[in-house]
Amino acid sequence: MRWRREEVQERPRGILPWLEERYTQAGPILELFVKKAVPVHRHSLWYYFGGMTLFFFGIQVVTGILLLLYYRPSAEEAYESVRFIMTEVPFGWLIRSLHAWSANLMIAFLFVHMFSTFFLKAYRKPRELTWVSGVLLLFLALGFGFTGYLLPWNELAYFATKVGTEIVGLVPGVGRFLVRFLRGGEDVTGGTLTRLFGFHVALLPALTLLVLGFHLAVVQLQGMSVPPWVEAEGRPLRQIPFFPNFFLRDLVGWLAAFALLVAVAAIWPSGLGNKADPLAPAPPGIRPEWYFLSLFQALKMMPARIGVFEGERVAVVLFGLGACFWLFVPFLDRRSARGERSPFFTIVGVLVLTFMVGMTLLSLFWPATD
């Protein structure tokens, strides 16, 4: 008995020693997690928006899996299955509303996180790939929004998807191919619904997990970026441990966000509208989700022709070039890479943000007409 008591006393205690005893290869990873520190300065508030985006993505995954238990991805059953979820499944209306609201909040926080990273020059060397993977995650999030919009198979979703895929058809050279690829044919049909459902629950989640895993890994390896003007002050920065100090602050923010999300989803639940009828005329005022409104409004305001080219086709090309410019900003802003001020890129960011907000407000309050 005495020997057995000594053996028990020699066992390591705590979760980290327990893991290290069994998974010695994970030692460096656990050590990195435990020793990671977060710098504290006057811009530290922006560090929390990335974690908040990740939290809403988690809500998307959980509520999406619950909706999958009852959803039927066909033109004959999609609308009825969503109505069944909202009226017959216990708390089904709340789960669907949480899914819809958290999608909007996830993209909103993703935009805030991206622009704060841009203006704080956090993309500069050696974090170029962190920025690139983050912008790719934004594109994937917009893809989730586009592919998920049609799934209720209601009137608004049907005609908005029809308009959205027609815009894709304006891409020079490959436009018609992309339209047929997205629609699964020449028009928006039940085949389109099944195809977008496959993208929404299989292809996009697989790509997102891959890119998100890389993004989180490089953030853990390189730590939080400090703005160059804060570094230039030359003063030693105070730091706090990521775990548990920063993590607990993140957790408090997540709990507050979850309480707000549940309240909003319960007070303003998502509606369903009328079932899609491909033979019916398009209702007036068809618009995409708010995060596509700036592009939608800009296309509407373009002249019919610019020289020998179609105006909307020119706009689509410019948007594509703008997206490529945004993706490769870390490799273009050489002054920030050298730790110097780069006012040109700051002005570009202000112009992009002004364009998006301005066009969105125009579309909401003074929409352009055909």
Side-chain angles (χ1 to χ4, degrees):
M1 289 298 293
R2 182 179 179 184
W3 175 83
R4 294 179 66 182
R5 189 180 301 115
E6 290 174 350
E7 183 185 46
V8 171
Q9 291 174 347
E10 288 175 358
R11 287 177 180 172
R13 295 184 177 182
I15 185 65
L16 291 178
W18 190 91
L19 290 172
E20 286 176 348
E21 186 182 25
R22 287 155 180 79
Y23 307 102
T24 54
Q25 299 87 344
I29 299 175
L30 295 173
E31 188 176 350
L32 180 67
F33 181 71
V34 172
K35 291 186 177 180
K36 181 182 177 183
V38 178
V40 178
H41 50 82
R42 60 182 179 276
H43 302 291
S44 297
L45 173 67
W46 301 108
Y47 291 153
Y48 294 94
F49 284 86
M52 196 65 78
T53 307
L54 184 62
F55 168 74
F56 284 117
F57 175 72
I59 297 290
Q60 284 287 285
V61 173
V62 174
T63 54
I65 291 173
L66 293 174
L67 292 173
L68 270 179
L69 298 177
Y70 295 96
Y71 180 72
R72 300 288 181 269
S74 71
E76 295 76 22
E77 297 179 294
Y79 182 86
E80 285 73 15
S81 65
V82 174
R83 187 166 59 184
F84 179 79
I85 290 171
M86 296 176 66
T87 57
E88 301 295 334
V89 177
F91 298 103
W93 64 273
L94 183 60
I95 297 299
R96 179 171 179 257
S97 193
L98 287 173
H99 192 73
W101 276 103
S102 61
N104 286 290
L105 289 171
M106 180 186 74
I107 292 179
F109 275 93
L110 186 50
F111 272 120
V112 174
H113 180 50
M114 182 186 68
F115 277 106
S116 64
T117 301
F118 181 88
F119 288 119
L120 294 175
K121 309 293 182 184
Y123 55 75
R124 69 189 190 282
K125 184 183 177 181
R127 295 178 175 81
E128 297 95 331
L129 294 183
T130 310
W131 169 266
V132 170
S133 58
V135 175
L136 291 178
L137 286 172
L138 172 68
F139 294 159
L140 289 169
L142 297 177
F144 272 113
F146 181 78
T147 56
Y149 201 57
L150 182 65
L151 300 191
W153 196 246
N154 58 25
E155 192 176 53
L156 179 63
Y158 175 83
F159 287 103
T161 302
K162 197 168 183 177
V163 173
T165 49
E166 284 172 357
I167 292 173
V168 175
L170 296 172
V171 177
V174 295
R176 294 313 307 168
F177 166 78
L178 291 176
V179 170
R180 287 193 294 272
F181 176 73
L182 288 173
R183 292 179 173 179
E186 292 296 333
D187 209 344
V188 176
T189 62
T192 312
L193 174 68
T194 307
R195 180 164 294 210
L196 295 188
F197 173 76
F199 292 161
H200 194 74
V201 303
L203 180 61
L204 290 177
L207 291 174
T208 301
L209 287 179
L210 188 67
V211 180
L212 180 61
F214 175 81
H215 188 77
L216 294 177
V218 292
V219 169
Q220 292 300 316
L221 286 171
Q222 296 178 319
M224 306 291 196
S225 170
V226 177
W229 52 89
V230 176
E231 285 183 337
E233 293 174 356
R235 293 182 297 183
L237 285 177
R238 186 168 69 88
Q239 293 186 328
I240 59 172
F242 177 82
F243 189 85
N245 298 47
F246 188 82
F247 177 76
L248 287 178
R249 296 181 185 186
D250 251 347
L251 188 61
V252 170
W254 297 349
L255 291 174
F258 185 69
L260 178 64
L261 173 65
V262 173
V264 170
I267 296 172
W268 294 287
S270 298
L272 184 56
N274 300 319
K275 185 176 181 177
D277 181 3
L279 300 178
I286 289 292
R287 287 185 305 194
E289 289 281 35
W290 63 270
Y291 37 85
F292 291 123
L293 282 181
S294 57
L295 301 181
F296 182 72
Q297 179 72 11
L299 284 173
K300 291 290 183 186
M301 294 176 66
M302 290 295 288
R305 300 200 72 81
I306 300 178
V308 296
F309 302 104
E310 293 180 44
E312 290 186 342
R313 202 175 293 274
V314 172
V316 168
V317 172
L318 292 176
F319 291 150
L321 293 174
C324 291
F325 173 84
W326 199 253
L327 182 66
F328 296 113
V329 154
F331 307 100
L332 300 173
D333 186 0
R334 306 310 303 168
R335 293 175 65 90
S336 283
R338 295 192 296 267
E340 302 172 2
R341 290 181 176 274
S342 57
F344 171 76
F345 283 87
T346 302
I347 293 172
V348 169
V350 171
L351 291 176
V352 171
L353 185 58
T354 304
F355 169 82
M356 294 179 65
V357 174
M359 285 295 174
T360 301
L361 293 175
L362 276 177
S363 183
L364 287 173
F365 300 107
W366 298 281
T369 56
D370 293 325

